[in-house]
Amino acid sequence: CDAEAGGDACGAGSGPGREQTGLETVLPAPAEEPNGTDSAKAPKVNCEERNVTGIDRFTLQILNVSQDLMEFLNTNSSDCTLVLFYTPWCRFSASLAPHFNSLPRAFPTLRFLALDASQHSSLSTRFGTVAVPNILLFQGAKPMARFNHTDRTLDTLKDFIFNQTGIEAKSDVVVTEEDWEGPLPSVLTKGIDWLLLFSLLFLASFVMYATVRTESIRWLIPGQEHEHQE
């Protein structure tokens, strides 16, 4: 992981140790503000809480490489969704995982999504994800707030959601052993840097082509053939 943002985030490139730069940010860079519940400010986002009647299990959904985030966000709704951009090889994403896994139980009327930023580079670019983990609060399909706290725990996440939406978390929700097991992985996984691999293969192919091409040209130049034979 690249130590960014004070050494508490990883570069959101295509693989381990790679960093994505020059991204367009759709959210203004907000000033660092406390996530504590002692704030007297009114909620910034008026979220329409979903009906949870008949739902027994509350969990987050992880998007695969073929799924588009926009398909899961309703542009004509005031529903709120907390979206996590992560990478499985980043230790900061792994340490956040069990805390984020427990959030759907703390806020059953909200929705929670997670996606691998290295597999969704276009979305990372669109929403200004230069480092992971990156957490955005959406209302409908519009990003409304970004989690800026460097201490990523269940309590700070609860405070962030409460300050933004005014929705209180269930007080009896804690991080459990099941939250450490998934859905988000809390154990680092080694990924293949496909961009680096393809670059090396291209370079090797070019060197081989240039070598063969050079030998062919030498045989076509008058005098080079006799010089080679001598």
Side-chain angles (χ1 to χ4, degrees), residues 27 30-39 42-45 47 81-83 100 103 107 110 112 134-138 143-149 151-169:
L27 288 175
E32 186 79 21
E33 59 182 47
N35 285 324
T37 55
D38 57 346
S39 174
K44 303 177 180 64
V45 184
C47 296
T81 307
L82 201 67
V83 180
F100 201 85
L103 279 177
F107 297 92
L110 301 179
F112 297 86
N134 182 32
I135 302 173
L136 297 178
L137 175 65
F138 284 80
M144 303 299 293
R146 189 190 308 273
F147 181 83
N148 290 320
H149 208 294
D151 184 20
R152 306 179 186 94
T153 64
L154 176 59
D155 288 336
T156 57
L157 290 167
K158 284 181 178 179
D159 292 343
F160 168 74
I161 295 175
F162 175 76
N163 288 337
Q164 295 295 329
T165 67
I167 300 175
E168 294 188 5

Side-chain angles (χ1 to χ4, degrees), residues 64-136:
N64 60 41
V65 66
S66 64
Q67 292 176 310
D68 185 3
L69 174 62
M70 295 299 103
E71 296 177 359
F72 294 84
L73 302 176
N74 189 350
T75 57
N76 299 319
S77 173
S78 297
D79 293 345
C80 287
T81 307
L82 201 67
V83 180
L84 168 65
F85 293 77
Y86 77 100
T87 53
W89 45 262
C90 174
R91 62 186 178 94
F92 302 109
S93 295
S95 62
L96 167 65
H99 302 275
F100 201 85
N101 286 334
S102 64
L103 279 177
R105 300 194 311 275
F107 297 92
T109 59
L110 301 179
R111 295 193 304 163
F112 297 86
L113 300 174
L115 57 90
D116 188 338
S118 63
Q119 296 180 349
H120 298 266
S121 57
S122 61
L123 289 174
S124 298
T125 301
R126 180 174 180 179
F127 298 115
T129 300
V130 295
V132 292
N134 182 32
I135 302 173
L136 297 178

Side-chain angles (χ1 to χ4, degrees), residues 45-61:
V45 184
N46 185 19
C47 296
E48 180 181 344
E49 301 184 56
R50 66 171 178 167
N51 186 354
V52 297
T53 302
I55 302 178
D56 298 326
R57 181 175 176 81
F58 300 95
T59 184
L60 67 92
Q61 182 172 358

